[in-house]
Amino acid sequence: MLEVHDLTVSYGPIEAVREVSFRVEAGAVVSLVGPNGAGKTTALNAVSGVIPARRGRILFEGRDITRMSPHQRVSEGIVQIPEGRLVLAGMTVRENLEMGAYRRPRPEIAASIDRMEARFPILRERSGALAGTLSGGEQQMLAIARGLMAKPRLLLLDEPSLGLAPLIVRLIFEIIRELQAGGQTILLVEQNARQALAVSSHAYVMENGKVVLEGPAESLTSDPAVISSYLGQAISSPT
Amino acid sequence: MNLLAQQLVNGLFIGSVYGLFAVGYTLVFGVLDILNLAHAAVFTLGGLSAVWLVQAAGMSIWLAFPLATLLAGGLGLLINAAAFAPLRRRADSQFSGLISSIAMAIIFDAAALGLFGARSVRFPPGTVKVHVWQIAGVTITSLQVGIVLVATLLMLILTLFLQRSRTGKAIRTVAENERAAMLLGVNVSGIIAFTFFISSALGGAAGVLYGLYFDSLAPDMGRAIELKGLAVIILGGMGSIPGAILGGLAFGLSEVLTVAVSGTSNLRDAVAFTVLFAILLLRPSGLLGRGKLREA
């Protein structure tokens, strides 16, 4: 579904992502893991189009979208749920959900909001509240629901667990599993490599702007180099 | 007592024009966090082109007013394309945009002078049929009532548009967070251009109403309202639409009350701006400001 070939992205003279290639098959959950500053978020933003690709090609369902504007990519079904949630704090919860469906035909929106509120009851409860008054976990739920309102064909999830309490993190990975079971294609960026690998079929390990390792998530999970660098000791205990 | 009542009514009329001018001013600020200092020049060109449409082209004011408003909106698109859009990627875009909008203002002022001449002009007599009413010793004309109604209607439509419509919500989304807007599929540069269009259209409409109210328009009429408009949006709270409306009325009232109390118009501007300082001392974020302090 998504193919990224030799992608290079730079901020001024600094190349944050260098000749990175990865692919996401339809229906798969693929993750980009690695330490802070490895270029994972930058790669994701290049797929969304909010940062231009310096070199390389991005193909979505075989079409070259490297130069396509961010809003057209949303219309194509490439939807990112950004790091830090970026909920519209001064707008109501419902308006946030409506904005999630900005690119969709208007008649479908009300029914979609109903479905989303049924899945996340807290959003129905707080429907008229300003999004900025929600707790961090609730805001993450809103950000996920808002992203799903766009009916993504490819969902880009950037650090969904960052800065959240362990209980909420567990909830979020449950949602990811649920989406996966429903056939949702997901590209996941996470520093929490253990959790990310547990839900992924395939993963890429990034370091200093490059992909240094890739493979099926299971084999990475048992790779001694990955264990020592990213997973720590606790991997030996059953999960 | 009658004089005071009369002045209060006058303050309401002129305040509604200030409010309309300031609403457009504050809209761009609210969305982009930048000041468009060419707003007063658009106000001037809006008013002068309406006079031209009525006088030279022989149009009725009911046609000239919306046309001049649309024309002013077009100037807004030009301001965005020439003064702001090319600088948007720069780290100092707020400051450089401010400067380039001053350049646009100078160009527009020169255009006004070249196109319409340096003399002050007025709408031909009979442009609007004026009825005069005496109510409890207070004189009100149908023109004044019409000005308040039109200004109020435009501000009401804008408020509803921003609250309810899909595009209005997109404008608020861009105001909240440009990156989030992009990721939600909003065509951010299109929305910004449209915001400039609305802002300048309202500025131009205010110019036409101002010209009708004072029965005199000149290429330098923007000067009179430029600082007042800025004061009004600071008074109301930067970026707040209801704040700009309220601020406009407060400013208009404080002006006319000064005249009523002191018996001279010399102190008018001094007192109005003193009120601004006084309110900012009590409420630094303005009357309806969001209370958000900018991080340095």
Side-chain angles (χ1 to χ4, degrees):
Chain A
M1 180 173 264
L2 178 76
E3 288 175 53
V4 175
H5 297 290
D6 301 320
L7 174 71
T8 296
V9 184
S10 53
Y11 299 100
I14 301 151
E15 293 189 339
V17 167
R18 282 175 294 167
E19 291 169 2
V20 161
S21 299
F22 54 89
R23 51 190 294 138
V24 182
E25 303 294 344
V29 176
V30 172
S31 52
L32 301 178
V33 296
N36 205 356
K40 310 181 300 284
T41 294
T42 304
L44 206 65
N45 279 332
V47 174
S48 279
V50 291
I51 301 176
R54 172 64 57 93
R55 285 188 298 277
R57 295 203 310 149
I58 303 171
L59 303 181
F60 185 62
E61 313 219 293
R63 284 176 56 205
D64 192 326
I65 58 159
T66 318
R67 302 273 163 256
M68 193 184 263
S69 67
H71 61 270
Q72 279 173 313
R73 295 189 204 199
V74 174
S75 296
E76 292 293 318
I78 302 177
V79 177
Q80 183 188 147
I81 298 174
E83 179 186 337
R85 308 183 275 278
L86 303 188
V87 297
L88 309 167
M91 294 167 74
T92 66
V93 168
R94 192 183 170 88
E95 284 174 333
N96 269 267
L97 292 176
E98 285 171 1
M99 282 312 295
Y102 185 71
R103 289 265 142 203
R104 287 179 53 203
R106 247 168 285 192
E108 299 175 8
I109 295 176
S112 271
I113 290 180
D114 265 353
R115 273 198 298 281
M116 222 44 83
E117 286 178 342
R119 172 60 186 84
F120 303 101
I122 183 71
L123 300 182
R124 176 165 288 158
E125 250 169 69
R126 306 294 308 273
S127 179
L130 295 185
T133 65
L134 302 186
S135 72
E138 288 166 351
Q139 287 190 14
Q140 185 63 59
M141 296 300 149
L142 176 58
I144 292 173
R146 185 181 65 180
L148 295 175
M149 283 294 295
K151 278 214 168 159
R153 297 169 68 200
L154 170 64
L155 184 64
L156 310 173
L157 268 171
D158 193 5
E159 305 276 10
S161 73
L162 196 72
L164 295 174
L167 194 70
I168 309 286
V169 173
R170 200 176 312 151
L171 209 59
I172 282 163
F173 278 95
E174 262 169 39
I175 295 168
I176 294 174
R177 281 200 188 83
E178 190 184 306
L179 290 170
Q180 180 182 31
Q184 176 72 56
T185 312
I186 297 175
L187 177 57
L188 172 67
V189 159
E190 259 292 348
Q191 278 189 64
N192 189 337
R194 179 191 320 283
Q195 299 256 37
L197 290 175
V199 294
S200 305
S201 53
H202 203 89
Y204 296 81
V205 180
M206 284 184 75
E207 234 174 73
N208 293 323
K210 294 198 148 201
V211 168
V212 291
L213 220 82
E214 66 162 294
E218 283 163 28
S219 64
L220 285 180
T221 315
S222 51
D223 184 319
V226 176
I227 295 173
S228 66
S229 301
Y230 303 110
L231 302 178
Q233 299 305 316
I235 191 67
S236 50
S237 66
T239 43
Chain B
M1 200 57 221
N2 274 350
L3 179 66
L4 188 64
Q6 179 73 58
Q7 292 293 4
L8 282 175
V9 170
N10 290 348
L12 182 71
F13 294 139
I14 190 62
S16 69
V17 176
Y18 289 163
L20 187 60
F21 177 80
V23 158
Y25 221 155
T26 213
L27 181 64
V28 162
F29 184 85
V31 173
L32 295 173
D33 281 357
I34 51 175
L35 275 175
N36 167 22
L37 288 181
H39 195 61
V42 172
F43 167 87
T44 307
L45 280 173
L48 289 174
S49 57
V51 172
W52 185 85
L53 287 171
V54 171
Q55 206 160 41
M59 274 179 202
S60 127
I61 186 70
W62 304 109
L63 188 59
F65 179 63
L67 268 182
T69 301
L70 287 178
L71 189 90
L75 293 177
L77 294 177
L78 189 65
I79 293 170
N80 176 48
F84 289 105
L87 301 171
R88 199 153 290 139
R89 294 271 159 258
R90 288 172 60 128
D92 61 355
S93 68
Q94 282 168 334
F95 185 66
S96 53
L98 191 76
I99 302 299
S100 62
S101 74
I102 294 177
M104 287 306 283
I106 294 170
I107 294 168
F108 283 170
D109 283 343
L113 208 58
L115 288 171
F116 303 105
R119 283 179 309 123
S120 72
V121 293
R122 55 177 53 180
F123 286 98
T127 300
V128 182
K129 282 208 184 71
V130 181
H131 301 277
V132 180
W133 295 299
Q134 294 281 342
I135 300 165
V138 176
T139 308
I140 299 174
T141 69
S142 56
L143 177 67
Q144 291 173 321
V145 174
I147 287 170
V148 173
L149 283 182
V150 170
T152 310
L153 190 69
L154 287 176
M155 292 188 277
L156 192 72
I157 290 173
L158 176 71
T159 305
L160 285 176
F161 170 75
L162 289 175
Q163 285 303 322
R164 302 281 167 81
S165 77
R166 192 178 109 96
T167 308
K169 284 173 190 168
I171 290 177
R172 284 158 61 209
T173 302
V174 175
E176 286 266 347
N177 189 315
E178 254 181 62
R179 214 171 78 84
M182 241 183 255
L183 292 175
L184 291 169
V186 175
N187 176 356
V188 171
S189 46
I191 287 291
I192 288 175
F194 187 62
T195 305
F196 269 95
F197 177 85
I198 301 176
S199 160
S200 293
L202 294 176
V208 181
L209 295 181
Y210 187 89
L212 284 167
Y213 186 77
F214 286 110
D215 197 23
S216 164
L217 300 96
D220 63 350
M221 67 190 248
R223 296 262 176 281
I225 204 166
E226 190 166 26
L227 277 178
K228 285 176 195 170
L230 206 51
V232 164
I233 65 177
I234 294 170
L235 186 62
M238 299 295 281
S240 161
I241 303 276
I245 299 172
L246 203 64
L249 289 177
F251 209 85
L253 285 174
S254 65
E255 273 189 4
V256 295
L257 285 179
T258 310
V259 178
V261 171
S262 69
T264 149
S265 63
N266 296 340
L267 288 172
R268 190 175 61 193
D269 289 353
V271 171
F273 282 97
T274 307
V275 168
L276 168 71
F277 287 128
I279 290 184
L280 288 183
L281 278 176
L282 298 172
R283 281 190 62 85
S285 55
L287 290 173
L288 299 178
R290 288 169 290 189
K292 173 180 81 177
L293 288 178
R294 190 171 302 281
E295 286 152 40

